[in-house]
Amino acid sequence: MNLSIDIARRILEASKQRAKELRSPVSIAIVDSGGHLVLFERMMSPYGWATGNISIAKASTAVMFNQSTDAVAQWGAGIPGFASSMSEMTHGKFIMAAGGWPIRIGGATVGGIGVSGGNAPGRDDEIARAGLGALEVMAPAIPAQPPQPAQPQQQQHSRPYMQPTPSYPSMPAPNNPSIPLSNSGVGQQQNVPVDQQVGTQHLVSDQTQEEENPYNDKMQFNDSRSGGQQ
């Protein structure tokens, strides 16, 4: 959205009205998003000629840094040579003094306003903010939304990385090597009473030895190997 002449005029008129209420004749400048002058008025004509250039510099500085000139003055004061170098690079359209504000419409910066010549501390800034108040009057009203029925929501943790983890089934306990395994399954313990475990163990151990030793006496070796060398 661009800064139209109608919007700029409303902002300037609101600033002028506040300046008259404070009995503080000032110079008011409004620039677009590129720092080009859109509207200008000097209320102290023919006096206060210096306030004209200062008000334009304030409006340009506010657009340049997208913040108030008072904020620029606070952090820029700690940088040696910042003010002089910026003023030289912008050909005098930079200044660190309160009284300049960016003009935002719909969240976008479309221009800036600068005020100079106030007869009391803080007057320039107050008059500039009064001009921005005209934008609130021009903003369209938000239509009222009908109330929505409440819906149950799942409770979530404020930190997603700390969400509770799902519970998984626990792993089976490791087999006890002293207790033999059943023939029907692997990795399952045989439920045998304690008084019968001893006798059963001897029976199974004999079978196990035969199974573990495939080269027992019952096997016969054939010395003739097909395809091999002797």
Side-chain angles (χ1 to χ4, degrees):
M1 183 177 182
N2 297 325
L3 179 63
S4 64
I5 189 67
D6 296 332
I7 296 177
R9 187 174 289 109
R10 293 187 183 185
I11 296 174
L12 188 141
E13 291 297 329
S15 296
K16 280 181 58 178
Q17 181 63 31
R18 184 55 180 164
K20 291 178 181 178
E21 294 173 358
L22 297 174
R23 296 181 180 181
S24 181
V26 294
S27 292
I28 305 171
I30 296 178
V31 300
D32 59 11
S33 58
H36 307 291
L37 187 63
V38 177
L39 278 179
F40 171 78
E41 184 168 342
R42 189 173 63 188
M43 299 174 64
M44 292 178 62
S45 179
Y47 305 102
W49 58 270
T51 61
N53 292 332
I54 295 175
S55 64
I56 296 174
K58 288 183 179 181
S60 301
T61 303
V63 172
M64 191 184 309
F65 291 93
N66 197 21
Q67 56 183 306
S68 67
T69 53
D70 188 19
V72 175
Q74 291 180 12
W75 60 261
I79 305 176
F82 176 73
S84 58
S85 59
M86 288 299 301
S87 180
E88 182 179 356
M89 286 188 294
T90 58
H91 304 286
K93 290 186 177 181
F94 173 83
I95 190 172
M96 295 196 308
W101 282 84
I103 300 174
R104 298 189 180 100
I105 299 178
T109 300
V110 297
I113 180 173
V115 178
S116 177
N119 51 12
R123 287 287 173 85
D124 294 345
D125 202 64
E126 183 178 354
I127 295 171
R129 287 187 286 108
L132 298 178
L135 295 176
E136 300 178 1
V137 179
M138 298 167 53
I142 301 176
Q145 298 291 336
Q148 300 292 335
Q151 298 180 356
Q153 297 180 356
Q154 296 181 355
Q155 184 178 2
Q156 295 182 355
H157 203 279
S158 59
R159 299 178 181 179
Y161 54 85
M162 295 182 63
Q163 290 285 354
T165 56
S167 58
Y168 296 96
S170 58
M171 298 297 294
N175 296 325
N176 191 348
S178 64
I179 300 177
L181 302 177
S182 63
N183 298 329
S184 58
V186 179
Q188 297 180 351
Q189 282 188 342
Q190 183 178 8
N191 297 327
V192 180
V194 178
D195 54 352
Q196 298 179 5
Q197 288 181 4
V198 178
T200 307
Q201 183 175 2
H202 288 294
L203 294 177
V204 176
S205 60
D206 296 338
Q207 271 185 337
T208 306
Q209 291 177 359
E210 293 179 1
E211 293 177 357
E212 290 180 353
N213 186 12
Y215 305 106
N216 52 15
D217 297 337
K218 296 180 181 180
M219 297 186 63
Q220 297 179 359
F221 293 89
N222 189 0
D223 294 337
S224 61
R225 301 176 183 177
S226 59
Q229 296 180 0
Q230 295 181 353

